[in-house]
């Protein structure tokens, strides 16, 4: 077995030479990233550096012009044919995407569904679980995020922190191989940030594979296995938190950290 096959097999997420432009604006410029199973990767970088686009490429909400992403060894959205990449059917892409959790800055819960139905909707719709199975799992997951008693509430009746915890339970309901978080606490009042970070820390402790875009540096120092600093569509540096956060090698990283710390 070659080294390349080995590394592909052991990676939860592998981003290989990804380039993405919008019109003439190059937003991702040759991204290489490996996320190992059970690890937490925190992505930092200034606004506009391409962090959200990178997450969206990982679950193929955006299609890269060059390069590809593999999740658990399987290329997302494409199939390799020798040197060529062939686009998969929309149906296959949806099935692949359903195994990747995504938690958004603004929660994106279904406003007309109860908390319980928000969590059961996807596993029932995809046929992964029967309704009773999905409800049992949902009650379990709501307990895990501290919301067992809010199953019958509607999102508008919850605080932002509670809504984001429902969104995390909803992501977990698909039993994803990896969960992507795009600034999960940026829209929250400061006093609600801690309860959401506590739930994410709990997932990290349980060995869930997480990729998290956040500006919470203290959190990154505590839970990240690797910290990735992006600027202008490139990874400027990456490594363990003690290296990137405390001994950054690049001026741009130092400059960014001095502004957010
Ligand atoms: P970040 O999350 O780091 O703030 P983004 O990935 O959201 O950065 O955006 C990177 C750049 O790409 C920004 O300049 C943004 O305006 C641009 N961009 C993102 N999405 C689109 C889009 N769908 N169409 C055009 N430009 C976009
Ligand atoms: Mg963003």
């Amino acid at each position: 077995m070659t080294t390349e096959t080995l590394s592909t097999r052991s990676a939860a997420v592998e981003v290989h030479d990804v380039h993405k432009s919008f019109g003439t604006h190059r937003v991702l410029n040759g991204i290489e990233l490996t996320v190992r199973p059970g690890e937490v990767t925190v992505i930092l970088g200034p606004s506009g550096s391409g962090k959200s686009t990178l997450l969206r490429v990982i679950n193929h909400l955006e299609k890269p012009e060059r390069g590809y992403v593999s999740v658990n060894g399987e290329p997302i959205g494409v199939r390799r044919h020798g040197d060529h990449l062939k686009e998969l059917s929309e149906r296959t892409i949806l099935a692949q995407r359903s195994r990747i959790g995504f938690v958004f800055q603004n929660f994106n819960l279904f406003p007309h569904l109860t908390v319980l139905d928000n969590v059961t909707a996807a596993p029932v719709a995809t046929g992964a679980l029967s309704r009773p199975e999905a409800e049992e799992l949902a009650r379990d997951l709501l307990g895990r995020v501290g919301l067992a008693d809010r199953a019958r509430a509607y999102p508008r009746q919850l605080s932002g922190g509670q809504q984001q915890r429902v969104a995390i339970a909803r992501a977990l309901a698909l039993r994803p191989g990896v969960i992507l978080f795009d600034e999960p606490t940026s829209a929250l009042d400061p006093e609600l940030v801690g309860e959401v970070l506590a739930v994410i820390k709990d997932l990290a402790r349980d060995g869930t594979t997480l990729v998290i875009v956040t500006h919470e540096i203290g959190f990154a120092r505590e839970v990240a296995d690797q910290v990735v600093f992006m600027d202008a569509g490139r990874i400027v540096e990456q490594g363990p938190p003690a290296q990137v956060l405390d001994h950054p090698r690049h001026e741009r990283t130092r400059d960014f950290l001095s502004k957010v710390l």
Side-chain angles (χ1 to χ4, degrees):
M1 198 183 291
T2 64
T3 321
E4 195 190 349
T5 346
L6 269 176
S7 74
T8 304
R9 281 213 175 165
S10 55
V13 178
E14 195 163 43
V15 177
H16 179 62
D17 191 33
V18 159
H19 293 248
K20 176 73 190 172
S21 300
F22 294 109
T24 57
H25 183 187
R26 183 163 279 191
V27 173
L28 297 177
N29 198 355
I31 300 285
E32 294 280 346
L33 178 67
T34 301
V35 174
R36 281 182 293 274
E39 286 199 351
V40 178
T41 297
V42 166
I43 301 176
L44 304 174
S47 178
S49 56
K51 306 179 300 294
S52 295
T53 304
L54 175 57
L55 291 189
R56 290 168 58 78
V57 165
I58 291 176
N59 76 353
H60 214 68
L61 283 169
E62 300 286 357
K63 182 173 141 33
E65 286 106 40
R66 208 168 110 190
Y68 64 91
V69 174
S70 294
V71 175
N72 298 320
E74 187 185 357
I76 294 295
V78 293
R79 192 168 43 215
R80 267 171 289 192
H81 268 279
D83 288 346
H84 299 281
L85 295 174
K86 189 167 172 271
E87 186 80 5
L88 294 170
S89 70
E90 195 53 34
R91 194 191 155 102
T92 310
I93 294 173
L94 284 175
Q96 290 181 325
R97 193 176 292 144
S98 76
R99 295 193 291 273
I100 303 170
F102 207 124
V103 175
F104 303 88
Q105 184 174 341
N106 292 310
F107 330 133
N108 288 10
L109 296 176
F110 304 118
H112 58 291
L113 296 183
T114 64
V115 163
L116 188 75
D117 290 342
N118 264 279
V119 181
T120 58
V124 171
T126 59
L129 297 176
S130 69
R131 172 157 285 283
E133 286 168 341
E135 287 196 5
E136 193 185 331
L137 174 65
R139 288 187 188 283
D140 228 51
L141 294 172
L142 287 171
R144 194 163 164 198
V145 301
L147 292 171
D149 56 338
R150 303 314 307 272
R152 291 284 156 214
Y154 285 86
R156 65 174 177 280
Q157 299 171 311
L158 303 181
S159 72
Q162 291 174 325
Q163 289 187 55
Q164 192 60 303
R165 287 187 280 143
V166 174
I168 293 170
R170 181 176 64 174
L172 287 167
L174 287 161
R175 304 174 196 273
V178 55
I179 307 182
L180 314 175
F181 292 82
D182 196 356
E183 301 202 30
T185 60
S186 297
L188 298 176
D189 291 334
E191 73 273 21
L192 303 177
V193 169
E195 67 191 56
V196 172
L197 293 182
V199 167
I200 301 174
K201 272 184 215 169
D202 190 51
L203 299 182
R205 225 175 284 125
D206 282 358
T208 315
T209 311
L210 308 175
V211 179
I212 310 168
V213 173
T214 183
H215 297 303
E216 298 285 338
I217 303 296
F219 170 80
R221 187 176 274 115
E222 211 180 317
V223 305
D225 294 288
Q226 68 172 339
V227 175
V228 172
F229 176 70
M230 284 180 69
D231 193 26
R234 296 180 194 268
I235 293 178
V236 174
E237 65 182 300
Q238 65 190 103
Q243 180 194 312
V244 177
L245 300 176
D246 299 327
H247 304 282
R249 290 179 187 157
H250 291 266
E251 184 56 40
R252 278 183 288 173
T253 317
R254 282 197 286 272
D255 185 53
F256 174 79
L257 289 172
S258 73
K259 286 174 184 148
V260 294
L261 277 174

